[in-house]
């Protein structure tokens, strides 16, 4: 990790336990039942295009509404689900729900509004394009309105297989994005070997942008090089007007962060959209 992001949120209420013990004792069996119990919910965080302020996308972010423990962060339970094929079941549900939501936005007149879905490494198998194609058919969502987010480390770990899958996804017409860019060890020149559309700058760089000149320089370089590779750039975790202004000045394409909108339930996103201009074709 290039940056420490301090996400061990369980420590907040269980300081004396390590994560493994916590998971084994409390979460594992509950997690297997959560889907059947209807405890999962997708939140959506808007992504705004800087050139005109239009909402051009929304990232689907999973929430677990646990019966007795309340809402549990995906930072805590996704890694646990990723240890087994449970992530495949959950991941498929997420994909379906997100595509259904995007189709509803489409029906409501938001015909350019994309949905972005996070994929775990385990989901990235040779059968992924088939699965995606089937969900697109079943939800009648135009493929270009689905964006799939994957991490840098996946590209590094199985480059050949990933390239093949990415090529098939491109043929399908979906978009792909590299999430949390800058936290792994890949270089931008490495990215040019893969058919990708977008790159999301990790929020750890955005966070210290105005206090840490190294981070500012890194972001400038990422944006310039990404554009030279014809990749769009999305900044994650934009929280302040100064960060937003920086992104605007340096030609970042889209922004996502608490300043623009928090992750919210689907019906709330619909109200959020109604208060804003319709996205127009670029
Ligand atoms: P991510 O994909 O990088 O998602 C962005 C995270 O940053 C989200 O955390 C979002 O709520 C948070 N965020 C957005 N704007 C701001 C901001 O301005 N400030 C701060 N401090 N945070 C901001 P969240 O929802 O807790 O999700 C955490 C991670 O869990 C995600 O990181 C993603 O890696 C994973 N995740 C969430 N949903 C899914 C899913 O359906 N499938 C998979 N495989 N992973 C998921
Ligand atoms: Mg993401
Ligand atoms: Mg991210
Ligand atoms: Mg992240």
């Amino acid at each position: 990790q290039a940056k420490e992001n301090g996400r061990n949120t369980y420590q907040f209420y269980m300081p004396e336990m390590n994560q493994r013990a916590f998971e084994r004792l409390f979460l594992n069996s509950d997690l297997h039942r959560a889907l059947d119990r209807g405890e999962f919910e997708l939140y959506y965080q808007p992504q705004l295009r800087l050139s005109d302020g239009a909402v051009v996308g929304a990232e689907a972010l999973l929430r677990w509404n646990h019966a007795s423990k309340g809402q549990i962060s995906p930072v805590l339970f996704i890694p646990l689900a990723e240890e087994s094929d449970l992530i495949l079941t959950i991941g498929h549900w997420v994909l379906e729900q997100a595509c259904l939501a995007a189709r509803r936005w489409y029906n409501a007149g938001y015909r350019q509004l994309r949905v972005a879905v996070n994929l775990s490494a385990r989901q990235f198998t040779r059968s992924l394009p088939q699965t995606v194609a089937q969900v697109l058919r079943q939800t009648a969502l135009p493929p270009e309105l689905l964006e799939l987010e994957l991490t840098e480390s996946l590209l590094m770990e199985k480059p050949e297989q990933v390239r093949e899958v990415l090529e098939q996804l491109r043929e399908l017409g979906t978009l792909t994005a590299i999430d949390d860019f800058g936290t792994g060890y890949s270089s931008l020149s490495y990215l040019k070997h893969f058919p990708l559309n977008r790159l999301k700058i990790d929020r750890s760089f955005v966070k210290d942008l105005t206090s840490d000149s190294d981070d500012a320089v890194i972001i400038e370089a990422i944006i310039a090089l990404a554009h030279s590779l014809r990749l769009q750039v999305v900044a994650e975790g934009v929280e302040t007007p100064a960060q937003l202004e920086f992104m605007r000045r340096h030609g970042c394409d889209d922004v996502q962060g608490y300043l623009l909108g928090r992750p919210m339930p689907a019906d709330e996103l619909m109200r959020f959209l109604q208060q804003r201009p319709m996205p127009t074709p670029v």
Side-chain angles (χ1 to χ4, degrees), residues 21 26 36 43 58 65 83 102 137 167 170 203 207 209 216-218 224-226 243 249 256 260 275 277-278:
F26 297 107
D36 286 341
Y43 274 32
N65 300 312
E83 285 176 13
R137 258 195 318 274
E167 268 154 16
R170 171 155 292 186
R203 79 162 185 269
K207 189 164 132 301
L209 180 58
V217 170
I218 290 169
L225 281 161
Q243 291 163 351
R249 237 188 4 256
Q256 182 182 343
L260 298 322
Q275 295 156 5
M278 282 264 178

Side-chain angles (χ1 to χ4, degrees), residues 107-148:
N107 290 348
Y110 298 94
R111 307 225 150 182
Q112 316 281 332
L113 190 62
R114 283 187 303 261
V115 73
V117 173
N118 291 286
L119 292 183
S120 294
R122 234 183 236 261
Q123 290 176 270
F124 227 85
T125 61
R126 289 184 206 286
S127 64
L128 178 70
Q130 257 169 283
T131 305
V132 170
Q134 182 237 325
V135 172
L136 288 171
R137 258 195 318 274
Q138 169 199 323
T139 57
L141 183 70
E144 67 274 14
L145 297 185
L146 174 63
E147 175 170 301
L148 300 167

Side-chain angles (χ1 to χ4, degrees), residues 15-16 32 40 44 53 71 110 115 124 127 143 154 157 167 174 199-200 219 222 229 241 250-251 254 257 261 268-269:
E16 74 282 11
H32 276 87
F40 286 130
Y44 298 92
Q71 202 169 73
Y110 298 94
V115 73
F124 227 85
S127 64
L154 184 64
E157 282 155 22
E167 268 154 16
T174 58
L199 191 156
K200 301 185 75 176
I219 292 179
I222 291 178
L229 294 173
H250 292 91
D254 297 349
E268 217 175 288
L269 183 81

Side-chain angles (χ1 to χ4, degrees), residues 143 164-174:
E164 214 177 291
V165 171
L166 286 174
E167 268 154 16
Q168 287 170 23
L169 289 172
R170 171 155 292 186
E171 267 167 47
L172 265 182
T174 58

Side-chain angles (χ1 to χ4, degrees), residues 7 42 45 59-63 73-75 78 82 87 90-91 94 117-120 123 149 179-180 200 202-203 236-239 256-259 261 263:
R7 280 172 174 175
L42 281 183
Q45 185 176 32
E59 179 175 5
L61 294 160
L62 190 57
R63 298 291 179 262
S73 163
V75 175
I78 291 282
E82 282 175 339
I87 191 63
I90 295 176
V94 168
V117 173
N118 291 286
L119 292 183
S120 294
Q123 290 176 270
E149 296 192 3
D179 202 357
D180 305 336
K200 301 185 75 176
D202 191 69
R203 79 162 185 269
E236 295 190 316
V238 173
E239 294 183 350
Q256 182 182 343
Y258 292 170
L259 180 69

Side-chain angles (χ1 to χ4, degrees), residues 10-22 25-26:
Y10 68 93
Q11 285 178 348
F12 184 66
Y13 53 101
M14 297 226 122
E16 74 282 11
M17 295 180 83
N18 65 38
Q19 182 159 15
R20 295 273 153 224
F22 175 85
L25 280 175
F26 297 107

